[in-house]
Amino acid sequence: MTTPDTHRRQRRKDARPAELAAAAMALFVEKGFAATRLDDVASRAGVSKGTLYLYFDSKEALFRSVIEESIVPMIGEVEAMVERLGDDPVRLLRALLEFWWAQIGSTHLAGTCKLMLCEAGNFPEVAMYLNERVIGPWHMLLNRVIEAGMTKGVFRQGNPESVRQMVFYPLLMQAVWQCSLPVCSSARPMPENYFDTFFDVLFRGLLVEPSEETQR
Amino acid sequence: MTTPDTHRRQRRKDARPAELAAAAMALFVEKGFAATRLDDVASRAGVSKGTLYLYFDSKEALFRSVIEESIVPMIGEVEAMVERLGDDPVRLLRALLEFWWAQIGSTHLAGTCKLMLCEAGNFPEVAMYLNERVIGPWHMLLNRVIEAGMTKGVFRQGNPESVRQMVFYPLLMQAVWQCSLPVCSSARPMPENYFDTFFDVLFRGLLVEPSEETQR
Amino acid sequence: MTTPDTHRRQRRKDARPAELAAAAMALFVEKGFAATRLDDVASRAGVSKGTLYLYFDSKEALFRSVIEESIVPMIGEVEAMVERLGDDPVRLLRALLEFWWAQIGSTHLAGTCKLMLCEAGNFPEVAMYLNERVIGPWHMLLNRVIEAGMTKGVFRQGNPESVRQMVFYPLLMQAVWQCSLPVCSSARPMPENYFDTFFDVLFRGLLVEPSEETQR
Amino acid sequence: MTTPDTHRRQRRKDARPAELAAAAMALFVEKGFAATRLDDVASRAGVSKGTLYLYFDSKEALFRSVIEESIVPMIGEVEAMVERLGDDPVRLLRALLEFWWAQIGSTHLAGTCKLMLCEAGNFPEVAMYLNERVIGPWHMLLNRVIEAGMTKGVFRQGNPESVRQMVFYPLLMQAVWQCSLPVCSSARPMPENYFDTFFDVLFRGLLVEPSEETQR
DNA sequence: CATGAATGAGGTTTCATTCAT
DNA sequence: CATGAATGAAACCTCATTCAT
């Protein structure tokens, strides 16, 4: 009794909220929440403005929903990383960061990071929630690895907070930056050997060691 | 002829634009451009809404002026850093970054960085201008130091772009983050030994060297 | 598929711009452009303020549109008069003026004349445009008839500009005056024999001719 | 005790209100009442905005005062014309109209006529007052002359209202027009022989009489 | 379900008016 | 007297939200 047309329609209907959220996400990331007009969201999604209200109660609800939907995969990613916990802090740290970049930093989820940064002041509860569910656990994870490395004597002693920023913020900033300035020159794609240099310097230091020096 | 009162009034009038710009800056950084109401700017500055229009043609002009006024000192800071150029890449790089943090990252100019990140999409010309006058020169400066260090064989070989991000983005992100989340837990003051760890890891690497290892 | 209701709605929507323009026209004529509030335009048209902006970009655009829409019929009228050009200057001149009064001077298009007079200083481009498209052609038309009459020896020789004003300005001023002072006593309807006297005096002069004098 | 300087100051002070009124008049005529900003009035008069309030209670009071000051000389002119009443309707009518043009239509008082036309709707009491004190008497005057001419058998019989408009409106419209469109081409100075043609046609008609025709 | 015309609260902007100097 | 910075009511304009179709 359900014709293929009905099927297609059904699929369309089910996909609607996600389509709308995706359109909203793109514009929220590009312009910010307040500067985004629902007119624009609707026309980007190819629907009428009224349709938005069939799926979302308000602009703010749309925003929360967009964030919400981004959070679920993020939580998933972070938890997936927890699974990977192994013994070698070096390999583990590298794996975590590369995984973060592959699954978040270089994907459309990077936009959520930008939104977090830009809109946290206007949506403190959202920020708190995100902080609790995603940022916190992620920081915990990094901290555990870093501190484990220090405890094991593999990593240099020091302020773990400082270390966490050093290992993570370059990636985070790069991700956010690419959302912000697709127009500027900085939007060039990540260079091939970015991570090679990154981890080389991170683990072995910027300075050439005496032993290496003699090798040259 | 000029009574003290006249003086006070004159001083008031001369100071007005800066006062208004400061109030606007604070709110723009906190809420973003679009979400900031001129009513709020005015009442934060302790004047009426109309007064804003005695000094700025429009909300957008106010924004541009705020950025403009932030740029001048930034250019000054960057140029001041150029003066410091010496021969030792290690000391120089550390000096540059500590200076940036002291003069920009930890001051109210950090807000300009956040604005840049958040509003670049809505004010592309402003972003281009800033990019040209401040960001570009600053990147050049870092690049020169990094490349000089590599050429001299003091710094490990690698992608300079990657290195630049590693040395600068943790500071930049920290600065922006503190603007965004005065409400969240991350707003705690920079720990005492942040920079010690930062440069220790940066220059010598996260890994404990074999020679050090034996010392423990 | 289209119910009568749909029809009515459609008709309503199509008619909206004209309804709004009519309401605006009436108030612009009555109060002038600057003194007319869009609130008043909206409530006279029976819509809310925001509705105006669905159809017109700004108050000025509304004004221009109102004028624009008045110009089209005016051009039509003037061109219709050109068609009437015949050989007898006397009958032709009378026909033109009576036609102008019937189609413009005594209709709502008279308001456009008042607007032209009152707002020309504030909308010089609009004035120039009207001058080019309507006023100029109309003056040309009158001039041609007047000069043809003079050339043929039917009309007394004299400054055609002066004659044109004599034949047209009483009608124009009467039209404008009735827009301006519906409140004053002058708003009484045109007397029955207005045109009889008008053309009698115009063609034969105010003075009683000697031959007539003897008839009394 | 009164130095020359004091004298000059005194004269300046006494002249102030008239200077301000003159500046206001010019702008009211050019832009209309509502579109005229007191800022512009003040700067045209070379004083500060506050100074206006030393001499006039409000913008409307300024407007009324401007009109008021124009009325007095107008009343004077009209009364001066009454004095001239003689016996010959032809000479009298011509004298009245030429006098009106010389003393009002071609002077800055023409602006008052434009204001009357444009602002009557916004200031009905002012319009009524003007109507009572100036327009009415002036119309009476013309009517008396016209009717006297008709009674004496010098003027052709007809609707006096119509005749009054024919003799006066061309001049009035010309006066107003020159206020409205200093920008348009119509602002050319009155042609030399304007009045010659005007009265020739007015008294003897547009048509060439048979007797004249043979003279040609 | 989907539409888009209509709404009106709330933002930006203007400017007549005031008042300390 | 004269000033002009400051005010705030009221205008213009925007856009999230509603609802008849």
Side-chain angles (χ1 to χ4, degrees), chain A residues 86-149:
Chain A
D87 278 349
D88 183 354
V90 175
R91 297 182 60 174
L92 184 54
L93 187 58
R94 177 164 190 154
L96 286 179
L97 295 172
E98 286 184 342
F99 194 69
W100 185 90
W101 180 256
Q103 302 300 318
I104 298 180
S106 66
T107 73
H108 75 105
L109 290 175
T112 312
C113 301
K114 188 195 168 187
L115 277 187
M116 183 66 191
L117 222 55
C118 298
E119 304 293 345
N122 296 319
F123 298 91
E125 338 78 63
V126 173
M128 300 292 278
Y129 179 63
L130 223 91
N131 197 44
E132 201 174 298
R133 299 297 301 274
V134 178
I135 303 175
W138 169 240
H139 282 185
M140 291 294 183
L141 191 54
L142 289 177
N143 277 346
R144 265 164 58 197
V145 176
I146 291 164
E147 284 164 7

Side-chain angles (χ1 to χ4, degrees), chain C residues 12-160:
Chain C
R12 191 78 194 277
K13 192 206 152 190
D14 292 348
R16 263 291 144 78
E19 288 170 23
L20 302 181
M25 178 71 173
L27 287 168
F28 287 156
V29 171
E30 185 184 327
K31 299 169 178 298
F33 175 77
T36 296
R37 281 168 301 164
L38 291 186
D39 268 320
D40 293 343
V41 174
S43 63
R44 172 183 268 250
V47 301
S48 75
K49 211 174 6 172
T51 300
L52 287 172
Y53 287 87
L54 293 178
Y55 299 96
F56 304 96
D57 285 342
S58 66
K59 190 184 182 185
E60 190 169 327
L62 174 58
F63 179 77
R64 288 171 193 277
S65 172
V66 159
I67 295 286
E68 197 80 21
E69 276 176 30
S70 299
I71 283 183
V72 177
M74 279 186 157
I75 292 173
E77 298 304 338
V78 171
E79 283 172 352
M81 293 187 218
V82 174
E83 302 297 313
R84 301 182 148 224
L85 284 179
D87 278 348
D88 182 353
V90 175
R91 298 183 60 175
L92 184 53
L93 188 58
R94 177 164 190 155
L96 285 180
L97 295 172
E98 286 184 341
F99 194 69
W100 185 90
W101 180 256
Q103 303 300 319
I104 296 179
S106 66
T107 74
H108 75 105
L109 290 175
T112 311
C113 300
K114 188 195 169 188
L115 276 186
M116 183 68 191
L117 223 55
C118 296
E119 304 293 345
N122 295 319
F123 297 91
E125 338 78 61
V126 174
M128 299 292 278
Y129 179 63
L130 224 89
N131 196 43
E132 203 174 296
R133 298 298 300 274
V134 178
I135 303 176
W138 169 240
H139 283 184
M140 290 294 183
L141 190 54
L142 289 177
N143 276 345
R144 264 164 60 194
V145 175
I146 291 163
E147 284 164 8
M150 289 180 179
T151 304
K152 284 187 176 173
V154 178
F155 289 165
R156 191 179 303 282
Q157 298 295 316
N159 179 348

Side-chain angles (χ1 to χ4, degrees), chain B residues 24-60:
Chain B
M25 178 72 175
L27 288 166
F28 287 156
V29 170
E30 185 184 327
K31 299 169 179 299
F33 175 76
T36 296
R37 283 168 301 166
L38 291 186
D39 267 321
D40 293 342
V41 173
S43 64
R44 172 184 266 252
V47 300
S48 75
K49 213 173 6 172
T51 299
L52 288 172
Y53 285 86
L54 293 177
Y55 299 96
F56 304 96
D57 286 342
S58 66
K59 190 185 183 184
E60 189 169 329

